[in-house]
Amino acid sequence: MTIIMSAKILDGKKIALEIKEELRLEIKKLKEKGIVPGLAVILVGSDPASKIYVASKKKACEEVGINSKVLEMSENTTQQELEVTIEKLNQDEKIHGILVQLPLPGHIDEEKIIESIDPKKDVDCFHPENVGKLSIGVGNIFPCTPAGIIEILKRNDIEIAGQECVVVGRSNIVGKPMAMLLLNNNATVTIAHSKTKNLAEVTKRADILISAVGKAGLITKDMVKKRAVVVDVGMNRLENGKLAGDVDFDQVKEIASAITPVPGGVGPMTIAMLMRNTVEAAKSSNLRTYE
Ligand code: GUN
């Protein structure tokens, strides 16, 4: 007789709600002390996916009590216009967090834009100064998606220290900072990517497997170790309009011990962590004001 034990579903939506409720209470107390966290989100152009993300961020701000300001700028915005807008927000005392929604139109130098954000207001944790701090394990702001994944693991009592973790994907937004955060949590970390030889052999070593590639169906059952924890960062729009992750969920859930769904796994956590980073930035800014 074979007993098939289906994986525990790691419910990111539920944890994100818990975190937002914790933040709502914290923000209420901050407001009693006269601190109102403020987030500015800049959207350049009209990419439909970006528009949806920005609307979700605005809604989350309203839920927790963060003051939000969405600046919609035309597709034809110049580098200089965008930099001037960011500089105004850098100087604005009511704004503690600045997020420029990526990707930006091709004529804009993304690196330069990220570097023009005051690192203290960089709630994405993309500025080189904050990336550096992350790599030496200091600072109180962490990149949103990787931080959300750590929170999913911790709140489900999944041990990270000493575990073999394989991250598939090496983007600056997810793959690289994810590896760094896992390392800061004492995991043994491997980063696999498009040039990795024998991907399945590498992924099969993982106690915790994290896929952040953006390719539907990339991770199949034969690539996963029995009872592994599988985290799916992929958000792929299928031809039938449905959203799918990188992981073949139906297959892999039969072998994994725990797995995040898409949607309802990592996605909601990214936004919850953005809210947390904005609160942290507001608290630090206030400390500086009264120093
Ligand atoms: N585009 C896709 N994900 C992100 C993110 O986490 N931050 C920003 N600024 N843009 C994104």
Side-chain angles (χ1 to χ4, degrees), residues 234-290:
M235 293 263 252
N236 309 297
R237 189 67 63 185
L238 302 179
E239 272 176 15
N240 62 12
K242 282 194 181 160
L243 202 60
D246 291 348
V247 178
D248 187 329
F249 183 84
D250 289 335
Q251 270 188 16
V252 173
K253 78 175 192 309
E254 303 299 340
I255 183 169
S257 65
I259 186 167
T260 61
V262 178
V266 174
M269 292 300 293
T270 299
I271 295 185
M273 292 298 106
L274 173 67
M275 301 298 108
R276 178 186 281 178
N277 281 349
T278 305
V279 172
E280 288 304 317
K283 283 174 11 193
S284 309
S285 136
N286 213 255
L287 278 177
R288 284 194 302 276
T289 307
Y290 295 108

Side-chain angles (χ1 to χ4, degrees), residues 30-45:
L30 286 173
K31 284 184 175 172
E32 283 162 12
K33 291 194 234 164
I35 305 167
V36 186
L39 173 69
V41 179
I42 304 176
L43 174 65
V44 185

